């Protein structure tokens, strides 16, 4: 049943992308060149740019750490502190600080990826498209998140962690199905939002070329941040559930 | 010339998204109203309420997104 669902969703995603490219989105999903036999699309190259940007930002901010931060270090400390205090309400401050390297990276990558689709030329310029507007990228992120949940759960409780699948025993199939559904729902939510928002902007653009698409882009600014927060929060909730102590 | 079949597919896609949007908008409105009510009663719990509200909204939003993807899929079949 799960494989059927997978094929259905995969064909949905691919036809959705092809439908949009037929509607006029230039070069969506067409490979630019091959690397080690794998197709490199515009989304992949943009992913590299986002990665380089975040690594450069991290390096610049932590190159010369001071007790009294100013400049870039101040900005990054503010972002980190805001994220920690937000995630503390989900999983507690101690856990939030411990999981921050992973969750913070997820958040920043998704945020910058979503916003890269708002830069003029995204989707039209060769080699430049929002990475989160294809299902492959968001599914990769979701699989990372789910694997991390299992790893943290096993790290915390050992093999005993998997006992939650058999509690209560007659719900075992449902529990296993839930574990499979998690990455699907995480990835499809992010992909559907970014892709849907892009398509709406495109449709409005073809009807009224001026001013009106700005409304959709404004929604894109809000949704880009909200989706990044939701992806991170849901991952944090899953980690908190996996590492919770039962009494 | 657009065939009747293509028109029916387009109608199905449009109606599907419309009904999904009605459902999730109603549910999200109720959620937001309840959350605002709770925040007004207890402003010091705003942070926790906001997080829970956002998660609940995301789960409702997901159903609409699913219908949207299906709509794109069947519209792609008009070709």
């Amino acid at each position: 049943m799960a494989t059927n669902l997978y094929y259905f969703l995969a064909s949905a995603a691919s036809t959705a992308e092809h439908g949009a490219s037929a509607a006029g989105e230039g070069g969506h999903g067409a490979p630019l060149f091959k690397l080690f036999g794998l197709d490199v699309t515009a989304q992949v190259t943009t992913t590299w740019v986002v990665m380089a940007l975040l690594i450069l930002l991290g390096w610049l901010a932590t190159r010369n750490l001071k007790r009294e931060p100013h400049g870039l270090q101040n900005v990054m400390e503010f972002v980190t502190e805001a994220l920690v205090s937000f995630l503390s309400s989900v999983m507690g401050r101690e856990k939030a600080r411990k999981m921050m390297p992973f969750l913070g990276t997820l958040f920043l990558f998704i945020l910058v990826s979503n916003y890269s689709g708002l830069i003029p030329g995204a989707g039209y310029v060769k080699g430049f498209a929002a990475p989160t507007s294809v299902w492959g990228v968001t599914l990769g992120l979701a699989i990372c998140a789910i694997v991390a949940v299992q790893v943290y759960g096993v790290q915390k409780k050992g093999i005993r962690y998997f006992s939650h699948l058999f509690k209560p025993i007659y719900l075992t199939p449902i529990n296993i199905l839930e574990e499979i559904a998690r990455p699907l729902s995480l990835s499809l939510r992010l992909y559907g939002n970014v892709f849907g928002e892009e398509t709406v902007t495109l449709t409005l653009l073809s009807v009224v070329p001026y001013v009106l698409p700005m409304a959709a882009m404004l929604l894109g600014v809000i949704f880009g941040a909200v989706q990044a927060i939701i992806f991170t929060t849901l991952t944090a909730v899953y980690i908190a559930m996996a590492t919770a102590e039962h009494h | 010339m657009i065939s009747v079949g293509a028109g029916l597919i387009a109608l199905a896609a449009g109606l599907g998204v419309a009904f999904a949007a009605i459902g999730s908008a109603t549910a999200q409105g109720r959620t937001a109203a309840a959350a605002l009510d709770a925040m007004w009663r207890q402003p010091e719990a705003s942070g926790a309420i906001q997080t829970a509200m956002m998660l609940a909204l995301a789960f409702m939003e997901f159903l609409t997104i699913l219908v949207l993807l299906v709509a794109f899929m069947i519209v792609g079949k008009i070709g």
Side-chain angles (χ1 to χ4, degrees):
Chain A
M1 188 200 154
T3 45
N4 271 344
L5 184 70
Y6 171 76
Y7 283 120
F8 162 71
L9 292 169
S11 68
S14 76
T15 37
E17 274 154 29
H18 290 138
S21 66
E25 205 165 332
H28 202 108
L32 297 169
F33 56 91
K34 277 187 179 280
L35 192 73
F36 309 122
L38 298 169
D39 288 341
V40 176
T41 59
Q43 281 80 18
V44 180
T45 48
T46 316
T47 307
W48 292 341
V49 173
V50 172
M51 277 160 60
L53 197 76
L54 288 178
I55 292 170
L56 189 73
L57 208 62
W59 180 71
L60 282 179
T62 56
R63 183 178 45 159
N64 191 9
L65 287 177
K66 295 212 176 65
R67 272 206 84 71
E68 284 157 28
H70 63 95
L72 198 55
Q73 190 193 344
N74 208 355
V75 174
M76 293 313 277
E77 274 191 13
F78 170 75
V79 171
T80 317
E81 198 49 48
L83 258 179
V84 166
S85 68
F86 178 74
L87 292 176
S88 300
S89 66
V90 178
M91 59 200 314
R93 193 168 177 83
E94 193 190 333
K95 264 188 207 168
R97 282 187 67 93
K98 207 179 139 207
M99 306 297 174
M100 197 56 209
F102 178 62
L103 295 174
T105 311
L106 269 184
F107 174 77
L108 286 178
F109 179 77
I110 294 171
L111 187 74
V112 176
S113 298
N114 287 349
Y115 279 176
S116 74
L118 291 170
I119 299 169
Y124 287 91
V125 176
K126 208 167 153 64
F128 178 37
T132 39
S133 65
V134 286
W135 191 33
V137 176
T138 59
L139 188 65
L141 290 172
I143 288 173
C144 285
I146 291 308
V147 168
V149 170
Q150 314 298 331
V151 168
Y152 286 136
V154 171
Q155 201 181 44
K156 176 92 180 176
K157 300 183 189 170
I159 202 73
R160 208 156 44 85
Y161 162 71
F162 292 106
S163 69
H164 81 275
L165 286 176
F166 308 105
K167 236 184 268 176
I169 191 73
Y170 53 89
L171 282 183
T172 305
I174 307 251
N175 286 338
I176 292 172
L177 206 62
E178 194 196 346
E179 294 288 319
I180 298 168
R182 274 176 182 179
L184 279 181
S185 75
L186 266 181
S187 61
L188 279 176
R189 181 178 299 117
L190 181 57
Y191 156 69
N193 259 295
V194 176
F195 174 71
E197 189 267 331
E198 272 189 359
T199 313
V200 167
T201 313
L202 196 71
T203 314
L204 284 180
L205 201 69
S206 62
V207 177
V208 185
Y210 303 105
V211 185
L212 195 59
M214 270 174 61
M217 291 186 85
L218 189 69
L219 275 181
V221 172
I222 301 168
F223 284 163
V226 167
Q227 287 309 316
I229 290 173
I230 283 175
F231 194 102
T232 318
T233 316
L234 276 176
T235 312
V237 169
Y238 293 153
I239 291 177
M241 275 161 69
T243 57
E245 288 290 350
H246 293 290
H247 297 290
Chain B
M1 182 64 194
I2 297 170
S3 68
V4 175
L8 282 178
I9 290 176
L11 195 65
L15 278 181
V17 176
F19 280 123
I22 289 172
S24 83
T26 314
Q28 292 193 336
R30 291 180 66 129
T31 310
L36 287 177
D37 202 32
M39 278 186 219
W40 172 76
R41 276 172 205 276
Q42 222 166 347
E44 63 273 15
S46 288
I49 294 168
Q50 213 165 13
T51 314
M53 176 188 78
M54 228 150 24
L55 285 182
L57 289 183
F59 286 126
M60 291 168 215
E61 186 85 7
F62 179 56
L63 300 175
T64 319
I65 295 292
L66 271 188
V67 177
L68 187 72
L69 288 178
V70 171
F72 279 133
M73 185 180 74
I74 62 175
V75 164
K77 283 200 169 142
I78 294 178

